[in-house]
């Protein structure tokens, strides 16, 4: 049998601890959207890193948090399910924040899992002083018995990312094969990638004004050898939010369209025709049918 190691790695943690940034850094491509807002990731997004001796299939999960509505409950259950049937769990905790109740909840769940390898990653090491980093590491050492390894990292400064990869590979079984083609970097369909690019552009452009009451529906998608034609709807919960996204004289929606089109073009390396519409669907985050329609289908992830 070829000495190829391959397996599945779940990245978990509470919101805004750097899970998506780490995934994108490891894969070397933008797989998961990154903003400075908590709860940006809504699905378990697979990123795939393939080298000659190994293939790592990462699952970037939504941040585990106190649920307030149906979409929150979906995100939490999606994240918790990701810890089943994987080979390694990477639990991320930022160096610049205190250990909170969501961290303790995840730690409790991890302490029950004796059949998988667990790595604690103390992230964002570049944003605190060495003294504070030492204190944070000492604080987390209280829970060292839960973990097989503790690694301090920074995705932006590339601190210990190679060490993390090496540690993960060491924990994986020798399968002798890859699970995905060597050229694959994600298993998400094109429609999903397009939706996430548009949603990121909205989150970045709308600031704190429309944080998480936004969803994207790809209404039409036609792809030829040379171009992609897309019609998509930006769904908000209130009429006032629609006005915010459109902006004065349509400037904000034009910027969102420009940025989305540019990223889609870079991703697919084709010409892109993109039409965007803003629609109001009151209280969509509590509607199970609407959540499923928007791609957050618990049976898929």
């Amino acid at each position: 049998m070829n000495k190829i190691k391959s397996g599945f790695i779940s990245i978990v943690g509470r919101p805004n601890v750097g899970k998506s940034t780490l995934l994108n850094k490891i894969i070397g491509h933008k797989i998961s959207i990154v903003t400075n807002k908590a709860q940006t990731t809504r699905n378990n997004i697979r990123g795939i890193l393939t080298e000659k001796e190994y293939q790592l299939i990462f699952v970037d999960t939504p941040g585990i948090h106190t649920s307030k509505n149906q979409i929150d409950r979906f995100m939490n259950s999606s994240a918790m399910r990701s810890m089943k049937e994987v080979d390694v769990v990477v639990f991320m905790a930022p160096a610049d924040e205190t250990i909170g109740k969501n961290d303790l909840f995840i730690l409790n769940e991890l302490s029950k899992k004796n059949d998988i390898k667990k790595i604690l990653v103390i992230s964002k090491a570049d944003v605190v002083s060495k003294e504070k980093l030492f204190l944070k590491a000492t604080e987390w050492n209280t829970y060292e018995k839960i973990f097989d390894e503790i690694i301090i990292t920074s995705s932006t400064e590339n601190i210990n990312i190679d060490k993390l990869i090496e540690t993960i590979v060491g924990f994986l079984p020798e399968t002798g094969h890859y699970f995905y083609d060597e050229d694959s970097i994600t298993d998400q369909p094109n429609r999903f990638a397009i939706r996430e690019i548009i949603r990121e552009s909205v989150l970045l452009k709308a600031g704190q004004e429309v944080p998480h009451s936004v969803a994207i529906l790809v209404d039409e998608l036609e792809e030829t050898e040379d171009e992609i034609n897309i019609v998509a709807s930006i769904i908000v919960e209130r009429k006032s939010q629609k006005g915010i996204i459109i902006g004065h004289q349509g400037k904000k929606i034009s910027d969102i369209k420009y940025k989305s089109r540019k990223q889609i073009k870079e991703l697919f390396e084709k010409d892109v025709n993109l039409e965007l519409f803003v629609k109001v669907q009151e209280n969509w985050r509590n509607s199970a049918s609407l959540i499923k329609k928007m791609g957050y289908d618990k049976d898929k992830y």
Side-chain angles (χ1 to χ4, degrees), residues 22 43 59 63 81 127 195 234 252 262:
L22 176 66
N43 299 76
V59 185
R81 275 198 310 277
V127 302
R195 195 173 65 224
I234 300 169
K252 199 167 282 188
K262 186 171 181 283

Side-chain angles (χ1 to χ4, degrees), residues 119-255:
I119 302 170
L120 169 62
V121 168
I122 301 174
S123 61
K124 304 184 182 182
D126 58 303
V127 302
V128 296
S129 66
K130 286 183 180 179
E131 292 78 9
K132 285 187 178 179
L133 188 58
F134 175 77
L135 289 172
K136 183 56 62 178
T138 304
E139 191 181 356
W140 274 109
N141 275 341
T142 311
Y143 305 96
E144 65 179 339
K145 288 182 181 178
I146 297 173
F147 298 98
D148 299 281
E149 191 73 57
I150 298 175
I151 300 174
I152 295 170
T153 69
S154 165
S155 298
T156 53
E157 297 296 322
N158 203 24
I159 297 169
N160 284 338
I161 302 301
D162 289 341
K163 182 183 177 183
L164 175 60
I165 293 170
E166 188 181 315
T167 303
I168 291 168
V169 172
F171 287 150
L172 293 182
E174 278 189 18
T175 59
H177 64 84
Y178 299 138
F179 287 95
Y180 293 88
D181 293 339
E182 291 181 50
D183 296 332
S184 298
I185 59 169
T186 185
D187 67 347
Q188 294 291 358
N190 291 352
R191 187 177 288 265
F192 178 90
I194 290 165
R195 195 173 65 224
E196 288 297 277
I197 286 170
I198 297 168
R199 191 162 68 88
E200 180 185 42
S201 298
V202 172
L203 287 175
L204 290 171
K205 199 68 194 169
Q208 299 298 324
E209 297 167 298
V210 190
H212 299 289
S213 50
V214 168
I216 309 301
L217 273 177
V218 177
D219 303 307
E220 295 177 29
L221 177 62
E222 290 180 359
E223 191 171 351
T224 68
E225 197 174 323
D226 302 316
E227 68 177 18
I228 300 176
N229 298 305
I230 306 158
V231 179
S233 299
I234 300 169
I235 309 297
V236 293
E237 288 187 314
R238 296 191 300 275
K239 195 173 178 181
S240 60
Q241 294 169 338
K242 179 177 179 177
I244 289 166
I245 288 175
I246 292 172
H248 181 61
Q249 296 182 339
K251 188 176 188 310
K252 199 167 282 188
I253 191 70
S254 295
D255 287 347

Side-chain angles (χ1 to χ4, degrees), residues 26-39:
I26 289 173
I27 304 303
H29 290 81
K30 195 170 186 176
I31 300 296
S32 189
I33 75 172
V34 179
T35 76
N36 61 0
K37 299 171 181 62
Q39 304 169 33

